[in-house]
Amino acid sequence: MTYPDLSLERQDDIAIVRLERAAKRNALNDGLILALRDTFQNLPEGVRAVVVDGAGEHFCAGLDLSELTERDAGQGLMHSRMWHQALDGLQFGPVPVVAALHGAVVGGGLELACACHIRVADSTTFYALPEGSRGIFVGGGGSVRIPKLVGVARMTDMMMTGRVYKAEEGERAGFAQYLVPAGQATAKAVELARRIAGNAPLTNYALMHALPRIAEQPADHGLFTEALMAGIAQNAPAAKERLRDFLEGRAAKVSRD
Ligand code: 1HE
């Protein structure tokens, strides 16, 4: 399946999914959200990690505002639920996703970035939530995901005052885990995706599906879920093989370099 505003490039066991709507700064219209949903539901066989990036000068300008004006309340509710479904499909999909950010990462673009598992930003990146000044609210899961990265106070400030975080302070605040020079975000994200693709699949699965749920549980439930997940993961043949490799001197040591 091909989509006019979304491309998928296969590189061995990883894929690069690119927003291809640069003329509109990769603003997310309904077609693009549905294309993202369908793409993550139907990743090609053998893809073990994905990089999401955006064509042109900006990662993503958020919701396509030209589609917003005609909706009533009920349609607005359903529209938000459509975004939730698409971005949940990415966060809780089959494989880890690394976002490669540059330029504007604003509104729904920030919501998309926050649904990914790791964010790499280049030095041109800036983060904002212009919903506040547009008279609307986040609707793509931002109120759930953004405070988990940067806290409720920062999100409130961004929406109330229109505050923009530049790349460096954005990394310090917790939006991105990696900060790289201009133009290098996709290359760094691909490098990370290759490493991730080399992990035991069940470890990646546990990080995507167990860890965020454990974080939501009361401590005693979380510890019990952790123990279940630990038991299942260590029982996998891939884990036993990797442990043997280390004990027999075939695996890399942890190194500070
Ligand atoms: C758009 C959009 C858009 C650009 N919807 N068309 N998001 C915002 O409030 C951000 C709005 N956009 C911007 O602030 C700027 O466009 C950027 C900082 C991202 C980029 O600036 P620049 O100077 O590179 O581009 P531009 O000239 O502003 O825009 C180029 C074209 O893209 C122009 O269309 P044209 O036909 O006149 O060429 C813009 O109208 C169009 N464009 N952004 C529609 N967002 C699930 S709820 C989520 C709620 C939200 O995301 S609200 C935040 C929306």
Side-chain angles (χ1 to χ4, degrees):
M1 185 76 191
T2 56
Y3 305 96
D5 295 326
L6 196 71
S7 66
L8 185 147
E9 179 196 338
R10 183 79 188 263
Q11 292 187 5
D12 308 317
D13 55 0
I14 71 160
I16 301 177
V17 172
R18 179 162 295 147
L19 308 175
E20 300 273 12
R21 209 179 170 226
K24 295 289 181 188
R25 305 314 184 245
N26 297 320
L28 297 164
N29 57 16
D30 288 359
L32 194 38
I33 285 294
L34 292 174
L36 274 168
R37 182 196 67 185
D38 293 349
T39 296
F40 279 89
Q41 272 175 5
N42 299 291
L43 285 175
E45 187 93 12
V47 167
R48 299 187 60 180
V50 172
V51 170
V52 172
D53 72 2
E57 297 298 302
H58 300 280
F59 173 70
C60 178
L63 175 70
D64 187 320
L65 294 170
S66 68
E67 288 188 348
L68 191 68
T69 44
E70 301 304 322
R71 277 187 213 117
D72 65 21
Q75 289 165 333
L77 164 70
M78 292 308 169
H79 179 260
S80 170
R81 296 301 285 157
M82 179 178 86
W83 273 62
H84 292 167
Q85 195 197 17
L87 298 190
D88 269 7
L90 191 154
Q91 181 180 358
F92 298 112
V95 297
V97 185
V98 184
L101 308 177
H102 71 294
V105 182
V106 304
L110 182 54
E111 295 182 292
L112 167 61
C114 291
C116 299
H117 301 98
I118 297 176
R119 281 150 296 280
V120 179
D122 86 1
S123 57
T124 69
T125 306
F126 57 99
Y127 310 89
L129 290 168
E131 286 89 338
S133 58
R134 308 264 181 253
I136 55 177
F137 191 59
V138 285
S143 59
V144 169
R145 294 192 180 98
I146 295 170
K148 290 200 173 107
L149 290 181
V150 300
V152 172
R154 274 202 189 88
M155 178 166 176
T156 308
D157 177 30
M158 288 171 81
M159 289 195 70
M160 279 187 173
T161 69
R163 180 169 178 172
V164 177
Y165 279 78
K166 292 193 184 135
E168 237 177 79
E169 42 170 8
E171 189 224 5
R172 273 203 304 276
F175 283 117
Q177 284 70 52
Y178 297 84
L179 181 59
V180 296
Q184 293 183 25
T186 296
K188 180 69 184 176
V190 166
E191 177 196 319
L192 295 170
R194 287 197 193 290
R195 285 189 67 151
I196 293 165
N199 291 341
L202 205 48
T203 301
N204 282 341
Y205 186 84
L207 289 169
M208 294 172 64
H209 293 266
L211 184 60
R213 291 184 168 96
I214 290 169
E216 302 283 313
Q217 291 177 340
D220 64 332
H221 295 201
L223 292 173
F224 189 70
T225 310
E226 178 187 277
L228 289 175
M229 194 65 244
I232 293 168
Q234 75 179 32
N235 191 46
K240 299 211 180 305
E241 190 184 314
R242 282 157 193 256
L243 296 175
R244 254 194 319 273
D245 282 349
F246 176 76
L247 293 172
E248 292 165 15
R250 290 188 298 274
K253 291 185 194 179
V254 177
S255 156
R256 77 173 77 80
D257 303 318

